[in-house]
Every structure is written in C-alpha cells, then in structure tokens.
Amino acid sequence: MPQYKLTYFNLRGWAEPARQLFKLAHVDFEDVRLEPLKSVENGTPEWEALKPKTPFGQLPVLNVDGFDIPQSAAILRYLGRKFGYAGKTPEEEAWVDAMVDQFKDFVTPLRQLIMAQRGGNAEEIEKVQRETFGPARDNLFKILNGILEKSKSGFLVGDGVTWADLVIADIITTMEKLGVFDVTSAENKKLTDFREKVNSIPEIKEHNEQRPDSVV
Ligand SMILES: N[C@@H](CCC(=O)N[C@@H](CS)C(=O)NCC(=O)O)C(=O)O
C-alpha cells in the first residue's frame, strides 16, 4: 500500500473532498495541516518555508511515496480513479470532470464575496452579491438542479457517489457558513437533500463529525 501524505492548511477548503475520499475508500493517509494563512498575501512562517518546495507554490499537495501531485482537481481525479469514485465509464469520468470544471468557474465570484465579507463594508458586500456572486451562484444552481432533477441515483453522475459529489456538497456547506445558502428555503430543497445524501454516507458522516470545523 503506498504511503499518502496530504498537505494543506487547517481548513476544509481545497483539500476536504480528498480527505473524504480517503475515508470513503478506507485508505490511511497522513493529514498534514499547516496554520491557516492570515490572508492570501500574508502567509505564516511554516508556509513561507514550505512554499518554495511545493511544485506550484500552493497547497494542497498530495505526496504518494515521495511523488508530489499539486492542484486539488488533479489530486481528486487521481484518487477518484484509484479508489473507484471517478465515474464508471470514460463518459461518466468526463461528466465528473465537467461538473468540477463548472464549479471552478464559480470560484472567482465566490472568492470576491469572501474578500468583501472579510473587508466588512456592507455596501461592497451588497454590490458583489448583486453583480457577480449572485448571478454566478444562480447559474451554478440552475445547472445542478437540472442535473439532480434527472438523476435516478440522487448523485450528480451515474449510479453512485463520485468525487464531484464531494466537491459540490462541500461547497454548499461553505456557502451556508458564509450566509449565502439558506437550507430552509424551498428553492434550495434539491441541493439541501443532495448534500444530506452525500453527508449521510457512513464514512463521510463519521469524518465530518470528527473533523476540525472551519468556515471555508
Ligand atoms: N487551483 C488550486 C488553488 C489552490 C490555492 O488557492 N491554494 C491556496 C490556499 S486555499 C494557497 O496555497 N495559498 C498560498 C499561497 O498562494 O501562497 C487548487 O485547486 O489546488
């Protein structure tokens, strides 16, 4: 069995679905958590020392028997294929990739919202919500709702859970914690039920109950 080491900050962020994949597959890994960044520009001493040694100067990085893999989606695709959570056919694999690519298009507006919330200026938060984050979220939710409507399994792709489900379920949690996803809203019912379905998988449930909590 290879030795896996996943290095990230002490956040859910870009690493959480990979941590969940290890739990789902019952595979041991070293969960290295650095102090969270003080801000995107201002790192921490332990990160400053590690950054130049990482392939792309960012985390997460997965190390497999001494071999480094950067970029969260590459890590997830690699683990998903190895552990059987990447889709059952090349077409399903393509759809898993497409779901996560679609989500990645949403990251810039989401980051703008997080930065505006951190700045604490109510006018700026309202502007980002109205002009960038809100329309991007509505577009993503329309796509996700359409897919879930047609899904026979309740998962996004095929008849079982894939790494795309873990990514999307986790980002719903982040949005809830940021105050921009209302679990009580009827409009959000499909997405709320979807997240519940993913988070009810026994291994995921156990992992989520034991993990350190964070907003992102
Ligand atoms: N596209 C990358 C984004 C990774 C990323 O943004 N990492 C941030 C933390 S969330 C980071 O390492 N920041 C520290 C830095 O850039 O110095 C991925 O998906 O892995």
Side-chain angles (χ1 to χ4, degrees):
M1 179 66 79
Q3 297 293 307
Y4 296 101
K5 180 166 92 170
L6 181 66
T7 305
Y8 190 57
F9 300 99
N10 190 16
L11 301 167
R12 293 183 0 267
W14 292 108
E16 193 62 14
R19 295 180 183 125
Q20 290 173 328
L21 265 184
F22 280 114
K23 295 299 169 73
L24 207 48
H26 298 264
V27 172
D28 287 337
F29 73 109
E30 193 183 341
D31 187 10
V32 179
R33 293 165 177 264
L34 271 56
E35 273 311 300
L37 294 165
K38 292 192 184 76
S39 74
V40 174
E41 299 79 27
N42 185 8
T44 57
E46 93 190 297
W47 170 233
E48 298 299 317
L50 180 63
K51 185 176 170 80
K53 299 183 190 145
T54 62
F56 294 165
Q58 286 200 314
L59 297 177
V61 171
L62 175 68
N63 184 278
V64 188
D65 286 338
F67 179 78
D68 274 341
I69 305 174
Q71 284 287 357
S72 60
I75 293 168
L76 283 162
R77 193 175 295 115
Y78 168 83
L79 294 176
R81 282 187 182 144
K82 258 192 150 169
F83 300 159
Y85 298 99
K88 296 196 172 72
T89 61
E91 290 72 24
E92 283 190 8
E93 284 191 3
W95 263 91
V96 169
D97 285 351
M99 293 313 306
V100 176
D101 285 343
Q102 191 63 39
F103 154 70
K104 286 202 149 200
D105 288 351
F106 173 64
V107 168
T108 301
L110 179 64
R111 191 169 282 162
Q112 283 172 343
L113 177 78
I114 293 171
M115 291 305 168
Q117 287 190 345
R118 280 189 192 155
N121 177 332
E123 215 172 283
E124 179 62 21
I125 296 171
E126 195 278 325
K127 187 173 186 284
V128 170
Q129 293 237 35
R130 183 168 29 83
E131 291 182 2
T132 50
F133 174 79
R137 177 195 51 193
D138 293 350
N139 182 49
L140 179 67
F141 282 11
K142 191 170 161 215
I143 290 169
L144 292 172
N145 279 318
I147 285 168
L148 290 173
E149 187 131 357
K150 287 193 215 128
S151 167
K152 293 194 180 78
S153 64
F155 294 110
L156 293 170
V157 183
D159 60 6
V161 65
T162 65
W163 61 274
D165 295 303
L166 303 181
V167 170
I168 300 297
D170 194 64
I171 205 63
I172 292 172
T173 296
T174 297
M175 282 192 273
E176 183 187 4
K177 286 173 182 280
L178 291 170
V180 289
F181 182 88
D182 179 3
V183 287
T184 63
S185 154
E187 262 188 20
N188 289 336
K189 180 157 178 18
K190 265 196 192 63
L191 289 169
T192 303
D193 289 352
F194 162 75
R195 180 183 61 168
E196 183 55 29
K197 185 176 173 72
V198 173
N199 287 349
S200 301
I201 297 169
E203 290 85 352
I204 302 290
K205 187 169 185 297
E206 190 183 306
H207 169 78
N208 290 357
E209 282 166 1
Q210 293 172 356
R211 69 187 174 187
D213 203 10
S214 59
V215 173
V216 295

